[in-house]
Amino acid sequence: MIEANSQEHTVFAPWNEADKEPFVRIENVTKKFGNFVAIDNISLNIFEREFYALLGPSGCGKTTLLRMLAGFEIPTSGRIIIDGEDMSKVPPHKRPVNMMFQSYALFPHMTVEQNIAFGLKQDHLPKAEIADQVERMINLVKLNAFAKRKPEQLSGGQRQRVALARSLAKNPKMLLLDEPLGALDKKLREETQFELMNIQEKLGITFVIVTHDQEEAMTVSSRIAVMDSGTVAQVAPPAEIYEFPNSRKVADFIGDVNIFEGRVADVQADSAQILINASDVPVRTGRSVEAALGETVWVAVRPEKMIVSLNPPKNMTENVLKGEVWDIGYLGKLSVYHVRLQDKRMVTVAMTNRYRETEHTITWEDSVYVSWAPNASVVLMS
Amino acid sequence: MIKSWSWFNKVSLIVGFAFLYVPIILLVIYSFNESRLVTVWAGFSTKWYGQLFQNEGIMNAAMVTLKVAFLSSTLATIFGTMAGFSMVRFGRFRGRTLFNGMIYAPLVMPEVITGLSLLLMFVAISLDRGLWTITLAHTTFAMCYVAVVIQARLNAFDRSIEEAAMDLGCPPLKTFFVITLPIILPGVLSGWLLSFTLSLDDLVIASFTTGPGATTLPMKIYSMVRFGVTPEINAVSTILIGIIATGVLLASVLHKRRESQRKNDELLASAIP
Ligand SMILES: Nc1ncnc2c1ncn2[C@@H]1O[C@H](COP(=O)(O)OP(=O)(O)OP(=O)(O)O)[C@@H](O)[C@H]1O
Ligand SMILES: [Mg+2]
């Protein structure tokens, strides 16, 4: 349930506040394994209470970056500063962060309770205090019925909750999560995502989560860092990453997208025109571009922002492509049209099914028009 | 599952098992023989066992053997675990393959050579030979077995479990004792059991490295046999067989128990929604 909030809702965006000190500063960090550069001169700032997602294809260095934060890998060069302290010489067991491992890494010879209590015992807290905190954590992740079980007697989802409780028990200033939901099925995964967000909000801990699932990153995070072979391609809040990707790689990685290569034909204060290569179809954008006339750029348009119609759209001379319906995918609430353009390239359009199947008018091999509004086209310089 | 046993299978099974166990069974039967003559059955009796416990020579040898076996298997387990651990955990370094090979080499080295070389070393450093030199010798060769067992165990070990412990504030050395060791304990125990039986068994290396006053049971039996096989020897051998068989059985029962418990646990876990 979403509580109605009478107070003015302030947007959480510490990265926009000029004088705000980041909680984590990653400064020009490079990590090499032998000659292989796993992390290539990355600089990032993570703020207190952020839910920060590291997103990227397999092998791009997400885990490596996270392990450097936890202290299991030492940067080849560069510095990591957590809460104002340089971490270069601080071993893992002395860092103010805890990690939830991809494989959960539960201690197989201990019960659920003992697993959760382990970190607290290392601080030599009084017994009663440990017991209290363990109980709180068990309640938090709803494992009351399983407290005395060993990890091997638990299902995957239950193990994952033990791992979460264990890593939260010490009340760390920052929690690192390496693909925490990778082993769960879709439904449980979505539930857990919201649970994670709730817990994060309740405890006010900074979360850094690694994932290669872009939907998950969009759902949970305050900001996403899109990584690509050891470098950071873009850091921005989810909506901005989706609506205004800064490169073809990011656009392609986050969601589906149609990308057209073209050249700049006209630049205005609040718009620009680009001619698509080969077909010379004019494309209008909703923002100006910083490019010279004739320069090669790329236009990205999301499938759901396009419309397929049998008749040419009225009063439109730009942003209209002609083609033939090649394939239709019916996905329940959506239909996905694959339209083959006259120059044989394919365009994907997704439209909500507002009408019943029988009322569909567009079908295979129809000649159709694909069109979109100027503010749906995003210009990419690389 | 084999449903029907072919004629060939049956015969080879019987021949194989007979080949392995008929001599041992004969030995056990004759240890209960009334007669002093080993090959003539004269009725059931346990008198040779009684005499055995009166025989100081045999009892001393048994004590020496047990001491050596216990000490050497314990030492071998400690050193072997350390060796196996560093082989797996040191990562790749120049000459790792060579080192690895050197751990395996003593396993295939002829015992005579191992014994001889150890003897030469003990003489060279003028160590008084006796119970301790046998213990050292047994430690060195049993250590290799332990190292191999531990290596196998550690290769299957998820290192992130150790990292999780350190992440939760546990220093590295403590992590080894409270996390790693309990998890690889079955491997360590089976390494110890293996070392123990190897030490009980050994005749050749012990003969090379022994000194005055330290006679192990296999050595004692061997020297007695040279004056003819007596029912007493059968009796002591039967006891040895009993000990070893119990050990092996125990190990496999423990293993079975763990296995079936794991299966139960898995069933239980999958039944939970
Ligand atoms: N200990 C190591 N030694 C050598 N290379 C390594 C080591 N750890 C990681 N790498 C390499 O560094 C690169 C980045 O690895 P990393 O585990 O960070 O990827 P990832 O982004 O987490 O991928 P995934 O999504 O598959 O988990 C990979 O190419 C990997 O092979
Ligand atoms: Mg990873």
Side-chain angles (χ1 to χ4, degrees), chain A residues 123-233:
Chain A
D123 289 350
H124 305 290
L125 296 177
K127 272 221 168 72
E129 204 172 306
I130 294 181
D132 276 357
Q133 176 69 353
V134 168
E135 202 187 326
R136 249 196 308 277
M137 285 299 133
I138 285 183
N139 284 334
L140 184 73
V141 295
K142 307 185 189 87
L143 279 173
N144 308 59
F146 307 97
K148 297 273 188 281
R149 290 217 188 161
K150 292 267 182 72
E152 58 189 3
Q153 298 166 304
L154 298 176
S155 72
Q158 291 161 349
R159 282 178 210 181
Q160 176 254 329
R161 297 207 313 263
V162 179
L164 180 64
R166 188 181 68 179
S167 55
L168 284 170
K170 290 186 83 174
N171 244 327
K173 290 184 178 159
M174 179 161 78
L175 184 66
L176 309 171
L177 306 104
D178 192 355
E179 310 217 8
L181 315 180
L184 306 184
D185 63 50
K186 192 167 155 44
K187 191 159 172 291
L188 196 55
R189 206 182 160 104
E190 282 168 4
E191 282 172 22
T192 318
Q193 284 168 5
F194 284 102
E195 235 169 272
L196 270 184
M197 290 162 72
N198 275 335
I199 289 173
Q200 196 253 353
E201 219 156 280
K202 200 150 59 177
L203 303 180
I205 296 173
T206 311
F207 275 31
V208 179
I209 185 172
V210 161
T211 174
H212 60 239
D213 178 345
Q214 45 110 356
E215 262 180 56
E216 184 170 294
M218 305 280 276
T219 310
V220 299
S221 60
S222 60
R223 278 196 300 165
I224 300 176
V226 182
M227 294 181 61
D228 179 44
S229 50
T231 60
V232 172

Side-chain angles (χ1 to χ4, degrees), chain B residues 19-75:
Chain B
F19 199 74
L20 280 173
Y21 289 106
V22 165
I24 293 176
I25 292 170
L26 276 180
L27 186 147
V28 172
I29 291 173
Y30 276 110
S31 77
F32 293 105
N33 192 359
E34 171 78 45
S35 164
R36 168 149 277 282
L37 295 168
V38 177
T39 46
V40 182
W41 184 253
F44 181 84
S45 154
T46 55
K47 73 173 180 195
W48 301 115
Y49 287 87
Q51 271 197 21
L52 189 66
F53 288 100
Q54 307 300 318
N55 186 331
E56 214 168 295
I58 288 181
M59 288 323 280
N60 277 342
M63 275 320 287
V64 168
T65 305
L66 285 179
K67 264 189 210 161
V68 167
F70 188 81
L71 284 172
S72 68
S73 58
T74 305
L75 286 175

Side-chain angles (χ1 to χ4, degrees), chain A residues 33 36 38 56-65 73 102 179 212:
Chain A
F33 294 110
F36 178 77
S58 190
C60 70
K62 306 179 295 288
T63 300
T64 307
L65 190 58
E73 306 282 358
Q102 193 163 2
E179 310 217 8
H212 60 239

